[in-house]
Coordinates of all heavy atoms in Angstrom, one line a residue:
M1 N 0.3 7.0 -11.8 CA 0.1 5.6 -11.7 C 1.4 4.9 -11.5 O 2.4 5.3 -12.1 CB -0.6 5.1 -12.9 CG -0.9 3.6 -12.9 SD -1.9 3.0 -14.3 CE -3.4 3.6 -13.9
A2 N 1.4 3.9 -10.7 CA 2.6 3.1 -10.5 C 3.2 2.6 -11.8 O 2.4 2.2 -12.7 CB 2.3 1.9 -9.6
S3 N 4.5 2.6 -12.0 CA 5.0 2.2 -13.3 C 5.5 0.8 -13.2 O 5.8 0.2 -14.3 CB 6.1 3.1 -13.7 OG 7.1 3.3 -12.7
L4 N 5.6 0.2 -12.0 CA 6.1 -1.2 -11.9 C 5.1 -1.9 -11.0 O 4.7 -1.4 -9.9 CB 7.5 -1.3 -11.3 CG 8.6 -0.7 -12.2 CD1 9.9 -0.7 -11.4 CD2 8.7 -1.5 -13.5
I5 N 4.7 -3.1 -11.5 CA 3.7 -3.9 -10.7 C 4.4 -5.3 -10.4 O 5.0 -5.9 -11.4 CB 2.4 -4.2 -11.5 CG1 1.8 -2.9 -11.9 CG2 1.5 -5.1 -10.8 CD1 1.3 -2.0 -10.8
T6 N 4.3 -5.8 -9.2 CA 4.9 -7.1 -8.9 C 3.8 -8.1 -9.0 O 3.0 -8.3 -8.2 CB 5.5 -7.1 -7.4 OG1 6.4 -6.0 -7.3 CG2 6.2 -8.4 -7.1
C7 N 3.9 -8.8 -10.1 CA 2.9 -9.9 -10.4 C 3.4 -11.1 -9.5 O 4.5 -11.4 -9.5 CB 3.0 -10.3 -11.9 SG 2.0 -11.8 -12.2
P8 N 2.4 -11.7 -8.8 CA 2.8 -12.8 -8.0 C 3.3 -14.0 -8.7 O 3.9 -14.9 -8.1 CB 1.5 -13.2 -7.2 CG 0.4 -12.5 -8.0 CD 1.0 -11.4 -8.8
H9 N 3.1 -14.1 -10.1 CA 3.6 -15.2 -10.9 C 4.9 -14.8 -11.7 O 5.7 -15.7 -11.9 CB 2.5 -15.7 -11.8 CG 1.2 -16.0 -11.1 ND1 1.1 -17.1 -10.3 CD2 0.0 -15.3 -11.0 CE1 -0.2 -17.1 -9.8 NE2 -0.8 -16.0 -10.2
C10 N 5.0 -13.6 -12.1 CA 6.0 -13.2 -13.1 C 7.1 -12.3 -12.4 O 8.1 -12.1 -13.0 CB 5.4 -12.5 -14.2 SG 4.1 -13.4 -15.1
G11 N 6.8 -11.7 -11.3 CA 7.8 -10.8 -10.7 C 7.5 -9.4 -11.1 O 6.4 -9.0 -11.5
I12 N 8.5 -8.5 -10.9 CA 8.3 -7.1 -11.2 C 8.2 -6.8 -12.7 O 9.1 -7.3 -13.5 CB 9.5 -6.3 -10.6 CG1 9.5 -6.5 -9.1 CG2 9.4 -4.8 -11.0 CD1 10.8 -5.9 -8.4
R13 N 7.1 -6.2 -13.1 CA 6.9 -6.0 -14.6 C 6.4 -4.5 -14.8 O 5.7 -3.9 -13.9 CB 5.8 -7.0 -15.1 CG 6.0 -8.4 -14.7 CD 7.3 -8.9 -15.2 NE 7.2 -9.1 -16.7 CZ 8.1 -9.7 -17.4 NH1 9.2 -10.2 -16.7 NH2 8.0 -9.8 -18.7
P14 N 6.6 -4.0 -16.0 CA 6.1 -2.6 -16.3 C 4.5 -2.6 -16.4 O 4.0 -3.6 -16.9 CB 6.7 -2.3 -17.6 CG 7.1 -3.6 -18.2 CD 7.4 -4.5 -17.1
K15 N 3.9 -1.5 -16.0 CA 2.5 -1.4 -16.0 C 1.9 -1.6 -17.4 O 0.7 -2.0 -17.6 CB 2.0 -0.1 -15.4 CG 2.3 1.1 -16.2 CD 1.7 2.3 -15.6 CE 2.0 3.7 -16.2 NZ 2.4 3.8 -17.6
E16 N 2.6 -1.4 -18.5 CA 2.2 -1.5 -19.8 C 1.8 -2.9 -20.2 O 1.1 -3.2 -21.2 CB 3.2 -1.0 -20.8 CG 3.4 0.6 -20.8 CD 4.2 1.1 -19.6 OE1 4.9 0.2 -18.9 OE2 4.3 2.3 -19.4
E17 N 2.2 -3.9 -19.4 CA 1.9 -5.3 -19.7 C 0.5 -5.7 -19.1 O 0.0 -6.8 -19.4 CB 2.9 -6.2 -19.0 CG 4.3 -6.2 -19.6 CD 5.2 -7.3 -19.1 OE1 4.8 -8.1 -18.2 OE2 6.4 -7.3 -19.5
F18 N -0.1 -4.7 -18.4 CA -1.4 -5.0 -17.8 C -2.6 -4.3 -18.3 O -2.4 -3.2 -18.9 CB -1.3 -4.7 -16.3 CG -0.3 -5.5 -15.5 CD1 1.1 -5.1 -15.5 CD2 -0.6 -6.6 -14.8 CE1 2.0 -5.8 -14.8 CE2 0.4 -7.3 -14.1 CZ 1.7 -6.9 -14.1
S19 N -3.8 -4.8 -18.3 CA -5.0 -4.1 -18.6 C -5.9 -4.0 -17.4 O -6.0 -5.0 -16.6 CB -5.8 -4.9 -19.7 OG -5.0 -5.2 -20.8
I20 N -6.4 -2.8 -17.1 CA -7.2 -2.6 -15.9 C -8.7 -2.8 -16.3 O -9.2 -2.2 -17.2 CB -7.0 -1.2 -15.4 CG1 -5.5 -1.0 -15.1 CG2 -7.8 -0.9 -14.2 CD1 -5.1 0.4 -14.7
R21 N -9.3 -3.7 -15.5 CA -10.8 -3.9 -15.7 C -11.6 -2.9 -14.9 O -12.7 -2.5 -15.3 CB -11.2 -5.3 -15.4 CG -12.6 -5.6 -15.5 CD -12.9 -7.0 -15.1 NE -14.4 -7.2 -15.0 CZ -15.0 -7.5 -13.9 NH1 -14.3 -7.8 -12.8 NH2 -16.3 -7.7 -13.8
G22 N -11.2 -2.6 -13.7 CA -11.9 -1.7 -12.8 C -12.0 -2.2 -11.4 O -11.4 -3.1 -11.0
D23 N -13.0 -1.6 -10.7 CA -13.2 -1.8 -9.3 C -13.4 -3.2 -9.0 O -14.3 -3.9 -9.6 CB -14.5 -1.0 -8.9 CG -14.7 -0.9 -7.4 OD1 -13.9 -1.5 -6.6 OD2 -15.6 -0.2 -7.0
A24 N -12.6 -3.7 -7.9 CA -12.7 -5.1 -7.6 C -13.5 -5.3 -6.3 O -13.7 -6.4 -5.7 CB -11.4 -5.7 -7.4
S25 N -14.1 -4.2 -5.8 CA -14.8 -4.3 -4.5 C -16.2 -4.8 -4.6 O -16.7 -5.4 -3.6 CB -14.8 -3.0 -3.7 OG -15.4 -2.0 -4.5
P26 N -17.0 -4.6 -5.6 CA -18.4 -5.1 -5.7 C -18.4 -6.7 -5.6 O -17.6 -7.4 -6.2 CB -18.9 -4.7 -7.0 CG -18.1 -3.6 -7.5 CD -16.7 -3.8 -6.9
V27 N -19.3 -7.2 -4.8 CA -19.5 -8.6 -4.5 C -20.6 -9.1 -5.3 O -21.7 -8.5 -5.2 CB -19.7 -8.9 -3.0 CG1 -19.9 -10.4 -2.8 CG2 -18.4 -8.4 -2.2
R28 N -20.4 -10.1 -6.2 CA -21.5 -10.7 -7.0 C -22.6 -11.2 -6.2 O -22.5 -12.0 -5.3 CB -20.9 -11.7 -7.9 CG -21.8 -12.3 -9.0 CD -21.2 -13.4 -9.7 NE -22.1 -14.0 -10.8 CZ -22.1 -13.5 -12.0 NH1 -21.2 -12.6 -12.4 NH2 -22.9 -14.0 -12.9
P29 N -23.9 -10.7 -6.5 CA -25.0 -11.2 -5.8 C -25.3 -12.7 -6.1 O -24.9 -13.2 -7.2 CB -26.2 -10.3 -6.2 CG -25.7 -9.4 -7.2 CD -24.3 -9.7 -7.5
V30 N -26.1 -13.4 -5.3 CA -26.5 -14.7 -5.6 C -27.5 -14.6 -6.9 O -28.1 -13.6 -7.1 CB -27.2 -15.4 -4.4 CG1 -26.2 -15.6 -3.3 CG2 -28.5 -14.7 -4.0
A31 N -27.6 -15.8 -7.5 CA -28.4 -15.8 -8.8 C -29.9 -15.4 -8.5 O -30.6 -14.8 -9.4 CB -28.4 -17.2 -9.4
T32 N -30.4 -15.6 -7.4 CA -31.8 -15.3 -7.0 C -32.0 -13.9 -6.4 O -33.1 -13.6 -6.0 CB -32.4 -16.4 -6.1 OG1 -31.5 -16.4 -4.9 CG2 -32.4 -17.8 -6.7
A33 N -30.9 -13.1 -6.4 CA -31.0 -11.8 -5.9 C -32.0 -10.9 -6.6 O -32.3 -11.2 -7.8 CB -29.7 -11.1 -5.8
S34 N -32.4 -9.8 -6.0 CA -33.4 -9.0 -6.6 C -32.8 -8.2 -7.8 O -31.6 -8.1 -8.0 CB -33.9 -7.9 -5.6 OG -32.8 -7.1 -5.3
D35 N -33.7 -7.7 -8.7 CA -33.3 -6.9 -9.8 C -32.5 -5.6 -9.4 O -31.5 -5.3 -10.0 CB -34.4 -6.4 -10.7 CG -35.1 -7.6 -11.4 OD1 -34.4 -8.6 -11.5 OD2 -36.2 -7.3 -12.0
D36 N -32.9 -5.1 -8.2 CA -32.2 -3.9 -7.7 C -30.7 -4.3 -7.3 O -29.8 -3.5 -7.5 CB -32.9 -3.3 -6.5 CG -34.1 -2.6 -6.9 OD1 -34.3 -2.2 -8.1 OD2 -35.0 -2.3 -6.0
A37 N -30.5 -5.4 -6.7 CA -29.2 -5.9 -6.3 C -28.3 -6.1 -7.5 O -27.2 -5.7 -7.5 CB -29.3 -7.2 -5.5
W38 N -28.9 -6.7 -8.6 CA -28.1 -6.9 -9.8 C -27.8 -5.5 -10.5 O -26.8 -5.3 -11.0 CB -28.9 -7.8 -10.8 CG -28.6 -9.2 -10.4 CD1 -29.5 -10.1 -9.7 CD2 -27.4 -10.0 -10.6 NE1 -28.9 -11.3 -9.5 CE2 -27.6 -11.3 -10.1 CE3 -26.2 -9.7 -11.2 CZ2 -26.6 -12.3 -10.1 CZ3 -25.2 -10.7 -11.3 CH2 -25.4 -11.9 -10.7
Y39 N -28.8 -4.6 -10.4 CA -28.6 -3.3 -11.0 C -27.4 -2.6 -10.4 O -26.5 -2.1 -11.0 CB -29.8 -2.4 -10.9 CG -29.6 -1.0 -11.3 CD1 -29.6 -0.6 -12.6 CD2 -29.4 0.0 -10.3 CE1 -29.4 0.7 -13.0 CE2 -29.1 1.3 -10.7 CZ -29.1 1.7 -12.0 OH -28.9 2.9 -12.3
V40 N -27.3 -2.6 -9.0 CA -26.2 -2.0 -8.3 C -24.9 -2.7 -8.6 O -23.9 -2.0 -8.8 CB -26.5 -2.1 -6.8 CG1 -25.3 -1.6 -5.9 CG2 -27.7 -1.1 -6.4
Y41 N -24.9 -4.0 -8.6 CA -23.7 -4.8 -8.9 C -23.1 -4.5 -10.3 O -21.9 -4.3 -10.5 CB -24.0 -6.3 -8.8 CG -22.8 -7.1 -9.3 CD1 -21.6 -7.2 -8.5 CD2 -22.8 -7.8 -10.5 CE1 -20.5 -8.0 -8.9 CE2 -21.7 -8.6 -10.8 CZ -20.6 -8.7 -10.1 OH -19.6 -9.4 -10.5
V42 N -24.0 -4.3 -11.3 CA -23.6 -4.1 -12.7 C -23.2 -2.7 -13.0 O -22.2 -2.4 -13.7 CB -24.6 -4.7 -13.7 CG1 -24.3 -4.3 -15.1 CG2 -24.8 -6.2 -13.5
F43 N -24.0 -1.7 -12.5 CA -23.9 -0.4 -13.0 C -23.4 0.7 -12.0 O -22.9 1.7 -12.4 CB -25.3 0.1 -13.5 CG -25.8 -0.7 -14.7 CD1 -26.8 -1.5 -14.6 CD2 -25.1 -0.6 -15.9 CE1 -27.3 -2.3 -15.7 CE2 -25.6 -1.3 -17.0 CZ -26.6 -2.1 -16.9
V44 N -23.6 0.5 -10.7 CA -23.3 1.5 -9.7 C -21.9 1.4 -9.2 O -21.5 0.3 -8.7 CB -24.3 1.5 -8.6 CG1 -24.0 2.5 -7.5 CG2 -25.7 1.7 -9.1
R45 N -21.1 2.4 -9.3 CA -19.7 2.5 -8.8 C -19.5 3.7 -8.0 O -20.1 4.8 -8.3 CB -18.7 2.4 -9.9 CG -18.8 1.1 -10.7 CD -18.3 -0.1 -9.9 NE -18.4 -1.3 -10.6 CZ -19.4 -2.2 -10.6 NH1 -20.4 -1.9 -9.9 NH2 -19.3 -3.3 -11.3
D46 N -18.6 3.6 -7.0 CA -18.4 4.8 -6.1 C -17.4 5.8 -6.7 O -17.4 7.0 -6.4 CB -17.8 4.3 -4.8 CG -18.9 3.6 -3.9 OD1 -20.1 3.8 -4.1 OD2 -18.5 2.8 -3.1
N47 N -16.5 5.4 -7.6 CA -15.5 6.2 -8.1 C -14.6 6.9 -7.0 O -14.4 8.1 -6.9 CB -16.0 7.3 -9.0 CG -15.0 7.9 -9.9 OD1 -13.9 7.3 -10.1 ND2 -15.2 9.1 -10.4
S48 N -14.2 6.0 -6.1 CA -13.5 6.4 -4.9 C -12.1 7.0 -5.2 O -11.5 6.7 -6.2 CB -13.3 5.2 -3.9 OG -14.5 4.7 -3.6
K49 N -11.7 7.9 -4.2 CA -10.4 8.5 -4.4 C -9.6 8.1 -3.1 O -10.1 8.1 -2.0 CB -10.5 10.0 -4.4 CG -9.2 10.8 -4.5 CD -9.5 12.3 -4.6 CE -8.2 13.0 -4.7 NZ -8.4 14.5 -4.7
G50 N -8.3 7.6 -3.4 CA -7.5 7.1 -2.3 C -7.1 5.7 -2.4 O -6.8 5.2 -3.5
R51 N -7.2 4.9 -1.4 CA -6.9 3.5 -1.4 C -8.0 2.7 -2.0 O -9.1 2.6 -1.5 CB -6.5 3.0 0.0 CG -5.8 1.7 0.1 CD -5.2 1.5 1.5 NE -4.4 0.3 1.6 CZ -3.4 0.2 2.4 NH1 -3.1 1.1 3.1 NH2 -2.7 -0.9 2.4
I52 N -7.7 2.0 -3.2 CA -8.7 1.3 -3.9 C -8.2 -0.1 -4.2 O -7.0 -0.4 -4.2 CB -9.2 2.0 -5.2 CG1 -8.0 2.2 -6.1 CG2 -9.8 3.3 -4.9 CD1 -8.3 2.6 -7.5
I53 N -9.1 -1.0 -4.6 CA -8.7 -2.3 -5.2 C -9.3 -2.4 -6.6 O -10.5 -2.0 -6.8 CB -9.1 -3.5 -4.3 CG1 -10.6 -3.6 -4.0 CG2 -8.3 -3.5 -3.0 CD1 -11.1 -4.9 -3.3
E54 N -8.6 -3.0 -7.5 CA -9.0 -3.1 -8.9 C -8.6 -4.5 -9.4 O -7.6 -5.1 -9.0 CB -8.3 -2.0 -9.8 CG -8.7 -0.6 -9.5 CD -7.9 0.4 -10.3 OE1 -6.6 0.2 -10.3 OE2 -8.4 1.3 -10.8
H55 N -9.3 -4.9 -10.4 CA -9.0 -6.1 -11.2 C -8.0 -5.7 -12.3 O -8.3 -4.8 -13.1 CB -10.2 -6.8 -11.8 CG -11.0 -7.6 -10.8 ND1 -12.3 -7.4 -10.5 CD2 -10.6 -8.7 -10.1 CE1 -12.7 -8.3 -9.7 NE2 -11.7 -9.1 -9.4
W56 N -6.8 -6.3 -12.4 CA -5.9 -6.1 -13.5 C -5.6 -7.4 -14.1 O -5.5 -8.4 -13.4 CB -4.6 -5.5 -12.9 CG -4.6 -4.1 -12.4 CD1 -5.6 -3.5 -11.8 CD2 -3.6 -3.1 -12.6 NE1 -5.2 -2.1 -11.5 CE2 -4.0 -1.9 -12.0 CE3 -2.3 -3.2 -13.2 CZ2 -3.2 -0.8 -12.0 CZ3 -1.5 -2.1 -13.2 CH2 -1.9 -0.9 -12.6
H57 N -5.5 -7.4 -15.5 CA -5.2 -8.6 -16.2 C -3.8 -8.5 -16.7 O -3.4 -7.5 -17.4 CB -6.2 -8.7 -17.4 CG -6.0 -10.0 -18.1 ND1 -5.7 -10.0 -19.5 CD2 -6.2 -11.3 -17.7 CE1 -5.6 -11.3 -19.8 NE2 -5.9 -12.1 -18.8
H58 N -3.0 -9.5 -16.4 CA -1.6 -9.5 -16.9 C -1.6 -10.0 -18.3 O -1.2 -11.1 -18.6 CB -0.6 -10.3 -16.0 CG 0.8 -10.0 -16.2 ND1 1.8 -10.6 -15.5 CD2 1.4 -9.1 -17.1 CE1 2.9 -10.1 -15.9 NE2 2.7 -9.2 -16.9
S59 N -2.1 -9.2 -19.2 CA -2.3 -9.6 -20.6 C -1.1 -9.8 -21.4 O -1.1 -10.6 -22.4 CB -3.2 -8.5 -21.3 OG -2.7 -7.3 -21.1
A60 N 0.1 -9.3 -21.1 CA 1.3 -9.5 -21.8 C 2.3 -10.4 -21.0 O 3.5 -10.4 -21.2 CB 2.0 -8.2 -22.2
G61 N 1.7 -11.1 -20.0 CA 2.5 -12.0 -19.2 C 1.8 -13.3 -18.9 O 1.5 -14.0 -19.9
C62 N 1.5 -13.6 -17.7 CA 1.0 -14.9 -17.3 C -0.5 -15.0 -17.7 O -1.1 -16.1 -17.6 CB 1.2 -15.2 -15.8 SG 0.4 -13.9 -14.8
R63 N -1.2 -13.9 -18.1 CA -2.6 -13.8 -18.4 C -3.5 -14.2 -17.3 O -4.6 -14.6 -17.4 CB -2.9 -14.7 -19.7 CG -2.0 -14.3 -20.9 CD -2.4 -15.0 -22.1 NE -3.7 -14.7 -22.6 CZ -4.1 -13.5 -23.2 NH1 -3.2 -12.6 -23.4 NH2 -5.3 -13.3 -23.5
R64 N -3.1 -14.0 -16.0 CA -3.8 -14.2 -14.9 C -4.5 -12.9 -14.5 O -4.0 -11.8 -14.7 CB -3.0 -14.7 -13.7 CG -2.3 -16.0 -13.9 CD -3.3 -17.2 -13.8 NE -3.9 -17.2 -12.5 CZ -4.8 -18.1 -12.1 NH1 -5.2 -19.0 -13.0 NH2 -5.3 -18.0 -10.9
W65 N -5.7 -13.0 -13.9 CA -6.4 -11.9 -13.3 C -5.9 -11.6 -11.9 O -5.7 -12.6 -11.1 CB -7.9 -12.1 -13.2 CG -8.6 -11.9 -14.5 CD1 -8.9 -12.9 -15.4 CD2 -8.9 -10.7 -15.1 NE1 -9.5 -12.3 -16.5 CE2 -9.4 -10.9 -16.4 CE3 -8.8 -9.3 -14.7 CZ2 -9.9 -9.9 -17.3 CZ3 -9.2 -8.3 -15.6 CH2 -9.8 -8.7 -16.8
L66 N -5.5 -10.4 -11.6 CA -5.0 -10.0 -10.3 C -5.9 -9.0 -9.6 O -6.6 -8.3 -10.3 CB -3.6 -9.4 -10.5 CG -2.6 -10.3 -11.4 CD1 -1.4 -9.4 -11.6 CD2 -2.3 -11.6 -10.7
V67 N -5.8 -8.9 -8.3 CA -6.4 -7.8 -7.5 C -5.3 -6.9 -7.0 O -4.4 -7.4 -6.3 CB -7.2 -8.3 -6.4 CG1 -7.8 -7.2 -5.6 CG2 -8.4 -9.2 -6.9
V68 N -5.2 -5.7 -7.5 CA -4.2 -4.7 -7.2 C -4.8 -3.7 -6.2 O -5.8 -3.1 -6.5 CB -3.7 -4.0 -8.4 CG1 -2.6 -2.9 -8.0 CG2 -3.0 -5.0 -9.4
E69 N -4.2 -3.5 -5.0 CA -4.6 -2.5 -4.1 C -3.6 -1.4 -4.2 O -2.4 -1.6 -4.1 CB -4.6 -3.1 -2.7 CG -5.1 -2.1 -1.6 CD -5.1 -2.7 -0.2 OE1 -4.5 -3.7 0.0 OE2 -5.8 -2.1 0.6
R70 N -4.1 -0.2 -4.5 CA -3.2 0.9 -4.8 C -3.9 2.3 -4.4 O -5.1 2.3 -4.2 CB -2.8 1.0 -6.2 CG -3.9 1.3 -7.2 CD -3.4 1.3 -8.6 NE -4.5 1.7 -9.5 CZ -4.7 2.9 -10.0 NH1 -3.9 3.9 -9.7 NH2 -5.7 3.2 -10.8
D71 N -3.1 3.3 -4.4 CA -3.6 4.7 -4.1 C -3.8 5.3 -5.5 O -2.9 5.4 -6.3 CB -2.6 5.4 -3.3 CG -3.0 6.9 -3.0 OD1 -3.3 7.6 -3.9 OD2 -3.2 7.1 -1.8
N72 N -5.0 5.8 -5.8 CA -5.3 6.4 -7.1 C -5.3 7.9 -7.0 O -5.7 8.6 -7.9 CB -6.6 5.9 -7.7 CG -7.8 6.4 -6.9 OD1 -7.7 6.9 -5.9 ND2 -9.0 6.1 -7.5
A73 N -4.9 8.5 -5.8 CA -5.0 9.9 -5.7 C -3.6 10.6 -5.8 O -3.2 11.0 -6.9 CB -5.6 10.3 -4.3
A74 N -2.8 10.6 -4.8 CA -1.6 11.4 -4.8 C -0.4 10.5 -5.0 O 0.5 10.8 -5.9 CB -1.5 12.1 -3.5
S75 N -0.2 9.5 -4.2 CA 1.1 8.7 -4.2 C 1.2 7.7 -5.3 O 2.3 7.4 -5.7 CB 1.3 8.1 -2.8 OG 0.5 7.0 -2.7
H76 N 0.0 7.1 -5.7 CA 0.0 6.1 -6.7 C 0.8 4.8 -6.2 O 1.2 4.0 -7.0 CB 0.5 6.5 -8.0 CG -0.4 7.6 -8.6 ND1 -1.6 7.4 -9.1 CD2 -0.1 9.0 -8.7 CE1 -2.1 8.6 -9.5 NE2 -1.2 9.5 -9.2
E77 N 0.9 4.7 -4.9 CA 1.7 3.6 -4.3 C 0.9 2.3 -4.5 O -0.4 2.3 -4.3 CB 1.9 3.8 -2.8 CG 2.7 2.7 -2.1 CD 2.9 3.0 -0.7 OE1 2.7 4.1 -0.2 OE2 3.4 2.1 0.0
V78 N 1.5 1.2 -4.8 CA 0.9 -0.1 -4.9 C 1.1 -0.8 -3.5 O 2.2 -1.0 -3.1 CB 1.4 -1.0 -6.0 CG1 0.8 -2.4 -6.0 CG2 1.1 -0.3 -7.4
Y79 N 0.0 -1.2 -2.8 CA 0.1 -1.8 -1.5 C 0.2 -3.3 -1.6 O 0.9 -3.9 -0.8 CB -1.1 -1.4 -0.6 CG -1.2 0.1 -0.4 CD1 -2.2 0.8 -1.1 CD2 -0.3 0.8 0.4 CE1 -2.3 2.2 -0.9 CE2 -0.4 2.2 0.5 CZ -1.4 2.8 -0.1 OH -1.5 4.2 0.1
S80 N -0.5 -3.9 -2.5 CA -0.5 -5.4 -2.6 C -1.0 -5.8 -4.0 O -1.7 -5.1 -4.7 CB -1.4 -6.0 -1.5 OG -2.7 -5.7 -1.8
V81 N -0.5 -6.9 -4.4 CA -1.0 -7.6 -5.7 C -1.2 -9.0 -5.4 O -0.3 -9.7 -4.9 CB 0.1 -7.5 -6.8 CG1 -0.5 -8.1 -8.1 CG2 0.5 -6.0 -7.0
T82 N -2.5 -9.5 -5.6 CA -2.9 -10.8 -5.2 C -3.5 -11.5 -6.5 O -4.3 -10.8 -7.2 CB -3.9 -10.8 -4.1 OG1 -3.4 -10.0 -3.0 CG2 -4.2 -12.2 -3.5
D83 N -3.3 -12.8 -6.7 CA -4.0 -13.5 -7.7 C -5.5 -13.4 -7.4 O -5.9 -13.6 -6.2 CB -3.6 -14.9 -7.7 CG -4.1 -15.7 -8.9 OD1 -5.3 -16.1 -8.8 OD2 -3.5 -15.7 -9.9
A84 N -6.3 -13.1 -8.4 CA -7.8 -12.9 -8.1 C -8.4 -14.2 -7.5 O -9.4 -14.1 -6.7 CB -8.5 -12.6 -9.4
S85 N -8.0 -15.4 -7.9 CA -8.6 -16.6 -7.3 C -8.3 -16.7 -5.8 O -9.1 -17.1 -5.0 CB -8.1 -17.9 -8.0 OG -6.7 -18.0 -7.8
V86 N -7.1 -16.3 -5.4 CA -6.7 -16.3 -4.0 C -7.6 -15.2 -3.2 O -8.1 -15.4 -2.1 CB -5.2 -16.0 -3.8 CG1 -4.9 -15.8 -2.3 CG2 -4.4 -17.1 -4.4
H87 N -7.7 -14.0 -3.9 CA -8.5 -13.0 -3.3 C -10.0 -13.4 -3.1 O -10.6 -13.2 -2.0 CB -8.4 -11.7 -4.1 CG -9.2 -10.5 -3.6 ND1 -8.7 -9.7 -2.6 CD2 -10.4 -10.1 -3.9 CE1 -9.5 -8.8 -2.4 NE2 -10.6 -9.0 -3.1
A88 N -10.5 -14.1 -4.1 CA -11.9 -14.5 -4.0 C -12.1 -15.6 -2.9 O -13.2 -15.6 -2.2 CB -12.3 -15.1 -5.4
K89 N -11.2 -16.4 -2.7 CA -11.3 -17.4 -1.7 C -11.3 -16.8 -0.3 O -12.0 -17.2 0.6 CB -10.1 -18.5 -1.7 CG -10.3 -19.4 -2.9 CD -9.1 -20.3 -3.0 CE -9.2 -21.1 -4.3 NZ -8.0 -21.9 -4.5
G90 N -10.5 -15.7 -0.2 CA -10.5 -15.0 1.1 C -11.7 -14.2 1.3 O -12.2 -14.1 2.5
A91 N -12.4 -13.6 0.3 CA -13.6 -12.9 0.4 C -14.8 -13.8 0.7 O -15.8 -13.3 1.3 CB -13.8 -12.1 -0.9
A92 N -14.7 -15.1 0.3 CA -15.8 -16.0 0.5 C -16.0 -16.5 1.9 O -17.0 -17.1 2.3 CB -15.7 -17.2 -0.5
R93 N -15.0 -16.2 2.7 CA -15.0 -16.7 4.1 C -16.0 -15.9 5.0 O -16.2 -14.8 4.8 CB -13.6 -16.8 4.7 CG -12.8 -17.8 4.1 CD -11.4 -17.8 4.6 NE -10.6 -18.8 3.8 CZ -9.3 -18.7 3.7 NH1 -8.6 -17.9 4.4 NH2 -8.7 -19.6 3.0
Ligands
LIG1 ZN1 2.0 -12.3 -14.4

């Protein structure tokens, strides 16, 4: 796992300052969506290998939620770190 994360608010920080929530790729269904759509959103995950996006919380820093795109297989390279609110605005378009 990458040992340094560049927080968009705090700069380069050690990974120990962050808490990982998990996969950031599922899109929240609308409130009136079917039970099956909510089941998939809440419980079903791909457990992908390779380039993934995850929600990370900078719990020992700015306390902002971030979206970290990284490789979880061989290189553990971090490709991008974006504030989750900025990421959500981009996904809503
Ligand atoms: Zn931060």
Side-chain angles (χ1 to χ4, degrees):
M1 178 176 287
S3 54
L4 295 174
I5 303 296
T6 303
C7 174
H9 306 288
C10 306
I12 299 172
R13 312 300 290 189
K15 68 175 177 19
E16 290 79 11
E17 291 188 1
F18 297 83
S19 303
I20 301 174
R21 177 178 169 246
D23 190 357
S25 60
V27 177
R28 185 182 181 93
V30 296
T32 56
S34 69
D35 289 346
D36 287 343
W38 278 102
Y39 172 81
V40 169
Y41 174 71
V42 173
F43 296 110
V44 178
R45 296 294 179 265
D46 288 338
N47 198 20
S48 301
K49 182 177 179 182
R51 196 168 181 144
I52 61 166
I53 58 172
E54 295 173 314
H55 280 120
W56 286 41
H57 185 243
H58 196 179
S59 49
C62 60
R63 305 189 60 79
R64 297 285 300 177
W65 282 99
L66 308 172
V67 174
V68 176
E69 183 179 16
R70 68 181 183 96
D71 182 297
N72 70 350
S75 72
H76 300 285
E77 180 179 352
V78 175
Y79 300 108
S80 67
V81 181
T82 310
D83 188 278
S85 66
V86 173
H87 181 81
K89 288 176 186 170
R93 292 180 186 157

